[in-house]
Amino acid sequence: MLNDPYKIDLPSYKKEPTEWGEFVTGVNTKLKTAKKVLALTFDACGGPFGSNYDYELIEFLNNEEIPSTLFVNARWIDENKDTFLELANNPLFQIENHGTEHKPLSINGRSAWGIQGSHSPEAVLNEIMINQELIFQLTDRYLTMFRSGTAYFDEVSVEILTDINLKAVNYSLLGMPGVHFLPNK
Protein backbone atom coordinates (compact mmCIF):
# COMPACT_ATOMS: atom_id res chain seq x y z
CA MET A 1 0.00 0.00 0.00
CA LEU A 2 1.18 3.49 -0.84
CA ASN A 3 2.17 5.63 2.11
CA ASP A 4 -0.13 8.57 2.73
CA PRO A 5 2.05 11.52 1.69
CA TYR A 6 -0.68 14.01 2.54
CA LYS A 7 -1.20 12.80 6.10
CA ILE A 8 -4.95 12.66 5.65
CA ASP A 9 -6.98 10.73 8.19
CA LEU A 10 -8.11 7.77 6.05
CA PRO A 11 -10.37 6.23 8.75
CA SER A 12 -12.46 9.43 8.70
CA TYR A 13 -13.58 8.55 5.15
CA LYS A 14 -15.12 5.24 6.20
CA LYS A 15 -18.71 6.37 5.84
CA GLU A 16 -21.52 5.27 3.58
CA PRO A 17 -21.57 7.14 0.25
CA THR A 18 -24.94 8.44 -0.92
CA GLU A 19 -24.01 9.37 -4.49
CA TRP A 20 -22.59 7.30 -7.34
CA GLY A 21 -21.97 8.15 -10.97
CA GLU A 22 -20.31 10.53 -13.38
CA PHE A 23 -21.84 13.73 -12.03
CA VAL A 24 -21.74 13.52 -8.24
CA THR A 25 -21.21 16.48 -5.93
CA GLY A 26 -17.73 17.93 -6.33
CA VAL A 27 -17.00 16.56 -9.81
CA ASN A 28 -16.11 19.40 -12.19
CA THR A 29 -17.72 19.24 -15.63
CA LYS A 30 -17.38 22.84 -16.80
CA LEU A 31 -14.71 25.50 -16.78
CA LYS A 32 -15.36 28.44 -14.50
CA THR A 33 -15.10 31.27 -17.00
CA ALA A 34 -17.33 33.86 -18.64
CA LYS A 35 -15.56 33.21 -21.95
CA LYS A 36 -17.01 30.91 -24.57
CA VAL A 37 -14.46 28.10 -24.60
CA LEU A 38 -14.33 24.40 -25.21
CA ALA A 39 -12.07 22.06 -23.26
CA LEU A 40 -11.13 18.89 -25.11
CA THR A 41 -10.17 15.96 -22.93
CA PHE A 42 -9.11 12.47 -23.92
CA ASP A 43 -8.41 9.34 -21.86
CA ALA A 44 -5.52 6.92 -22.35
CA CYS A 45 -6.57 3.87 -20.35
CA GLY A 46 -4.59 0.78 -21.32
CA GLY A 47 -5.56 -2.68 -20.22
CA PRO A 48 -7.42 -5.61 -21.80
CA PHE A 49 -8.82 -3.54 -24.68
CA GLY A 50 -5.34 -2.40 -25.67
CA SER A 51 -2.89 0.35 -25.00
CA ASN A 52 -2.79 1.97 -28.41
CA TYR A 53 -3.79 5.50 -29.22
CA ASP A 54 -5.15 7.38 -32.18
CA TYR A 55 -2.09 8.68 -34.05
CA GLU A 56 -4.26 10.48 -36.60
CA LEU A 57 -6.10 12.36 -33.88
CA ILE A 58 -2.88 13.43 -32.16
CA GLU A 59 -1.42 14.49 -35.51
CA PHE A 60 -4.56 16.51 -36.27
CA LEU A 61 -4.43 18.23 -32.86
CA ASN A 62 -0.75 19.01 -33.45
CA ASN A 63 -1.21 20.28 -36.99
CA GLU A 64 -4.16 22.47 -36.04
CA GLU A 65 -2.48 23.55 -32.79
CA ILE A 66 -5.46 22.49 -30.68
CA PRO A 67 -4.66 22.27 -26.98
CA SER A 68 -6.12 19.31 -25.13
CA THR A 69 -5.98 17.62 -21.76
CA LEU A 70 -4.91 13.98 -21.75
CA PHE A 71 -5.97 11.90 -18.76
CA VAL A 72 -3.40 9.11 -18.72
CA ASN A 73 -3.52 5.81 -16.82
CA ALA A 74 -0.45 4.03 -15.40
CA ARG A 75 -1.22 0.88 -17.45
CA TRP A 76 -1.07 2.94 -20.64
CA ILE A 77 2.16 4.65 -19.59
CA ASP A 78 3.76 1.25 -18.86
CA GLU A 79 3.02 0.12 -22.44
CA ASN A 80 3.85 3.47 -24.11
CA LYS A 81 6.58 5.19 -22.09
CA ASP A 82 8.28 6.86 -25.08
CA THR A 83 4.98 8.06 -26.54
CA PHE A 84 3.89 9.28 -23.11
CA LEU A 85 7.08 11.34 -22.77
CA GLU A 86 6.57 12.82 -26.26
CA LEU A 87 3.01 13.82 -25.36
CA ALA A 88 4.05 15.14 -21.94
CA ASN A 89 6.74 17.29 -23.55
CA ASN A 90 4.35 18.72 -26.14
CA PRO A 91 3.12 22.14 -24.92
CA LEU A 92 -0.27 21.58 -26.58
CA PHE A 93 -1.11 18.77 -24.15
CA GLN A 94 -1.82 19.01 -20.47
CA ILE A 95 -1.23 15.63 -18.84
CA GLU A 96 -3.51 14.66 -15.94
CA ASN A 97 -4.17 11.57 -13.82
CA HIS A 98 -6.52 8.78 -14.98
CA GLY A 99 -5.64 6.36 -12.20
CA THR A 100 -3.43 3.37 -11.77
CA GLU A 101 -5.64 0.40 -12.67
CA HIS A 102 -8.53 2.29 -14.34
CA LYS A 103 -10.93 1.64 -11.49
CA PRO A 104 -14.09 3.54 -10.69
CA LEU A 105 -13.32 5.59 -7.57
CA SER A 106 -15.37 4.10 -4.78
CA ILE A 107 -14.73 3.59 -1.09
CA ASN A 108 -16.92 0.47 -1.02
CA GLY A 109 -16.14 -1.43 -4.22
CA ARG A 110 -19.01 -0.28 -6.44
CA SER A 111 -18.51 -1.15 -10.07
CA ALA A 112 -19.33 0.60 -13.31
CA TRP A 113 -19.48 -0.88 -16.81
CA GLY A 114 -18.43 -4.23 -15.35
CA ILE A 115 -15.23 -2.86 -13.81
CA GLN A 116 -14.82 -3.38 -10.06
CA GLY A 117 -14.20 -0.14 -8.19
CA SER A 118 -11.68 0.55 -5.48
CA HIS A 119 -12.90 -0.91 -2.19
CA SER A 120 -11.72 1.35 0.65
CA PRO A 121 -10.34 4.83 1.33
CA GLU A 122 -6.84 3.31 1.25
CA ALA A 123 -7.54 1.72 -2.15
CA VAL A 124 -8.91 5.05 -3.43
CA LEU A 125 -5.70 6.79 -2.36
CA ASN A 126 -3.58 4.09 -4.02
CA GLU A 127 -5.57 4.31 -7.27
CA ILE A 128 -4.82 8.03 -7.32
CA MET A 129 -1.32 8.29 -5.91
CA ILE A 130 0.57 5.44 -7.57
CA ASN A 131 -0.06 7.02 -10.98
CA GLN A 132 0.39 10.52 -9.56
CA GLU A 133 3.87 9.57 -8.38
CA LEU A 134 4.71 7.70 -11.61
CA ILE A 135 3.88 10.76 -13.71
CA PHE A 136 5.81 13.02 -11.34
CA GLN A 137 8.87 10.76 -11.62
CA LEU A 138 8.69 10.88 -15.43
CA THR A 139 7.84 14.57 -15.88
CA ASP A 140 8.79 16.38 -12.66
CA ARG A 141 5.29 17.92 -12.73
CA TYR A 142 2.56 17.94 -10.13
CA LEU A 143 -0.83 17.11 -11.60
CA THR A 144 -3.95 19.01 -10.59
CA MET A 145 -6.83 16.90 -11.92
CA PHE A 146 -8.09 13.32 -11.73
CA ARG A 147 -10.64 11.42 -13.83
CA SER A 148 -11.45 7.96 -12.55
CA GLY A 149 -11.57 4.85 -14.67
CA THR A 150 -15.09 4.71 -16.19
CA ALA A 151 -15.55 8.33 -14.96
CA TYR A 152 -17.56 7.05 -11.97
CA PHE A 153 -17.03 8.40 -8.46
CA ASP A 154 -18.76 8.37 -5.11
CA GLU A 155 -18.81 11.65 -3.19
CA VAL A 156 -16.53 10.30 -0.44
CA SER A 157 -13.77 9.52 -2.97
CA VAL A 158 -14.25 13.04 -4.38
CA GLU A 159 -13.77 14.36 -0.84
CA ILE A 160 -10.45 12.45 -0.67
CA LEU A 161 -9.37 14.01 -3.97
CA THR A 162 -10.28 17.48 -2.72
CA ASP A 163 -8.38 16.93 0.52
CA ILE A 164 -5.20 16.04 -1.40
CA ASN A 165 -5.62 19.10 -3.64
CA LEU A 166 -6.77 17.36 -6.82
CA LYS A 167 -9.89 18.28 -8.77
CA ALA A 168 -12.26 15.50 -9.78
CA VAL A 169 -12.94 16.17 -13.46
CA ASN A 170 -15.38 14.71 -15.95
CA TYR A 171 -17.05 15.96 -19.08
CA SER A 172 -20.26 17.73 -19.94
CA LEU A 173 -20.54 16.00 -23.32
CA LEU A 174 -19.23 12.50 -23.96
CA GLY A 175 -17.95 12.12 -27.52
CA MET A 176 -17.37 8.38 -27.40
CA PRO A 177 -19.06 5.88 -25.11
CA GLY A 178 -15.77 4.18 -24.24
CA VAL A 179 -13.93 0.99 -24.97
CA HIS A 180 -16.83 -1.15 -23.81
CA PHE A 181 -18.59 -0.39 -27.07
CA LEU A 182 -15.62 -1.43 -29.20
CA PRO A 183 -15.44 -4.96 -30.62
CA ASN A 184 -13.26 -7.37 -28.67
CA LYS A 185 -9.79 -7.79 -30.14
Side-chain angles (χ1 to χ4, degrees), residues 43-47 50-51 71-76 98 100-102 179:
D43 296 347
C45 309
S51 292
F71 286 89
V72 184
N73 183 275
R75 300 181 311 181
W76 190 87
H98 193 40
T100 302
E101 296 180 17
H102 198 258
V179 297

Side-chain angles (χ1 to χ4, degrees), residues 151-183:
Y152 273 65
F153 298 85
D154 64 35
E155 82 281 3
V156 180
S157 63
V158 173
E159 185 181 335
I160 293 170
L161 281 164
T162 301
D163 289 348
I164 61 173
N165 297 315
L166 287 173
K167 289 181 185 174
V169 174
N170 265 343
Y171 41 80
S172 57
L173 177 64
L174 181 58
M176 183 192 161
V179 297
H180 302 287
F181 291 91
L182 296 175

Side-chain angles (χ1 to χ4, degrees), residues 123-134:
V124 165
L125 193 63
N126 282 340
E127 179 66 12
I128 299 163
M129 292 307 302
I130 291 171
N131 194 41
Q132 189 84 350
E133 289 181 3
L134 171 64

Side-chain angles (χ1 to χ4, degrees), residues 47-66:
F49 290 98
S51 292
N52 296 325
Y53 80 104
D54 191 331
Y55 289 94
E56 289 179 29
L57 173 64
I58 296 298
E59 184 177 357
F60 174 79
L61 295 171
N62 271 315
N63 291 341
E64 298 300 320
E65 298 180 3
I66 300 171

